[in-house]
Structure formats: C-alpha cells, structure tokens
Amino acid sequence: MKDILDKIKDVGKDALGTFVEFEPEDEARPSAQPRAAAPAPVAGPAIPAPAASTVVPAGEADPEFVAGLQSAVQASGKAAYTHFRTLYGALAAVGDDRQRTQLALSAAGASNGITAQQVAEAIDDRLRILAGERGAFDKAVQAETTGTIGSTQKEIDSTRAAITRKVEEIQQLEAKRAELEKSIAEARASIDANSARFAASYAVVEAELAAERARIAPFLTPTAG
C-alpha cells in the first residue's frame, strides 16, 4: 500500500505542484504459521509515479496498482489458497473449469489435507486484506485531496472573492464616471446656451451701433489721407 500511496502523492504533486506528506501506514500483519510447502509472502514491486504520457485513463485497471494489491494480499497467513492455485495451475490441460477446480481441490486434499472450506476461508482472508487496502487508499486519497486540492480550492475561493470586490469597485467607478460625464454634458450645454445668447446679444448691440454709425457718417468731415 505504501507504494500505491506514494503514487497518489506523486500524481497530486504533478497536478498541483504541492502535496502533503501522508502519515506512514502501519502495514504490519499478524504473523501466522503457514505450512512448510507454502511460499513465503514476497514484497510487491515498487510502484513509481507514472509519467504524464503513461497515466491510465479513468475506469481502466492500472497494472501497477493491480501488482501492488496482489502483493498485499499475499500477506495472508492462510496458505490453503496458495496450494490450491498451484495445483489449479498445474492442471491447465483440463479444459473444463469445473472439472479442473474439482481435481485441484481433490489433489490439495490428498497432498495437504486441504478442504474446499479452507480454500474459501483463505480467499475470504485475502478479501479482508484487500478491503483494508481499499480503506487505507480511500483515507489516503481524502488526506491528499484535503492537502493539495483543498488548499488550492481555498486560494481559488479567495481569488473569486477578490474578483467580486474588484467588479463591485469597477461598477462603482463606472457609476461615478457616468455621473461626471452627465455633469460635463450639463455644464457644456449651459456654456453653449450662454455662448449662443451672448452671440445673439452681441449681434443686437453691434447692429445698433453700426446703424448709429451709418446715420452720422454723412456728417463726418473727411480726413486727409
């Protein structure tokens, strides 16, 4: 499971650039005394973080996860299943699966006194271990989600709030701009109206003076040039 958890952390690190270290899982299994013929559990292969180009699409089994989980269930102390699988594999030439299973169980009983019930119990023990791996994985995913995605989500929420504040500030500035433009338009209209009235008034006075000037023009003494 440690290898699988390391993979989860590495993927999260690649995706978000930061991750939280998991607390090491206690994977110690209760020791048991297997039969002499049972092979000792072997350590599962290390599961490195996949490169971006080797990520398995969602919904497809990851061969590295499968290998890690298969290695984990080998920690079961119930060897009956191992004996059965060895004999079942040796009977590959038997085409009928039911007959092949029956022959393997019979051979297991004859050679090691193993019953079908013991094989079933050994499988159930492995399913129990597998369920434990799932629980540990789900816990690790939750921790990683909280540590990486959670912190990033908080930053996203903070940024969104800042954007909202900026939008409100922009709206206030836009409203102020509209008010100023309105005041400019009103001032410009007032100035233009006054200018028009002044021009009209100027024309009236200028016309009056021009008329008066024209009236006395005939009585003026010409000046020497």
Side-chain angles (χ1 to χ4, degrees):
M1 173 55 72
K2 182 178 184 300
D3 292 332
I4 294 178
L5 300 188
D6 289 342
K7 183 173 182 179
I8 289 296
K9 291 192 291 184
D10 289 341
V11 170
K13 180 180 179 182
D14 291 340
L16 296 175
T18 180
F19 65 97
V20 176
E21 293 292 340
F22 292 106
E23 292 296 328
E25 296 286 343
D26 182 8
E27 299 181 13
R29 305 289 184 183
S31 60
Q33 297 297 325
R35 296 177 183 270
V42 295
I47 303 178
S53 60
T54 60
V55 174
V56 178
E60 294 185 12
D62 186 323
E64 294 176 342
F65 280 178
V66 171
L69 292 171
Q70 288 175 338
S71 175
V73 299
Q74 291 304 316
S76 172
K78 297 182 180 294
Y81 176 69
T82 303
H83 289 298
F84 166 75
R85 285 300 307 177
T86 299
L87 294 169
Y88 182 85
L91 293 169
V94 180
D96 182 83
D97 185 72
R98 180 180 177 83
Q99 183 182 9
R100 181 180 177 185
T101 301
Q102 184 176 12
L103 290 173
L105 288 173
S106 297
S111 60
N112 297 95
I114 295 173
T115 64
Q117 181 62 34
Q118 289 174 320
V119 174
E121 290 174 356
I123 294 173
D124 290 341
D125 187 56
R126 285 162 173 77
L127 288 172
R128 177 188 60 79
I129 294 173
L130 187 63
E133 295 294 308
R134 176 58 182 267
F137 179 84
D138 289 345
K139 181 179 178 181
V141 168
Q142 181 60 43
E144 185 65 17
T145 299
T146 301
T148 56
I149 297 176
S151 61
T152 303
Q153 185 61 50
K154 289 180 181 178
E155 186 174 355
I156 291 173
D157 293 340
S158 176
T159 303
R160 183 181 292 114
I163 291 172
T164 299
R165 291 193 298 270
K166 292 295 183 182
V167 169
E168 292 174 352
E169 182 179 352
I170 291 172
Q171 290 174 342
Q172 292 172 358
L173 291 173
E174 287 288 348
K176 183 176 181 180
R177 178 189 60 79
E179 291 177 0
L180 292 173
E181 289 180 346
K182 180 180 178 182
S183 67
I184 288 175
E186 291 174 349
R188 192 184 307 281
S190 177
I191 292 171
D192 290 343
N194 287 332
S195 296
R197 285 195 298 272
F198 177 83
S201 300
Y202 182 91
V204 169
V205 174
E206 182 182 36
E208 290 177 352
L209 290 174
E212 292 295 328
R213 182 74 170 72
R215 182 179 296 113
I216 64 173
F219 303 98
L220 296 176
T221 301
T223 58

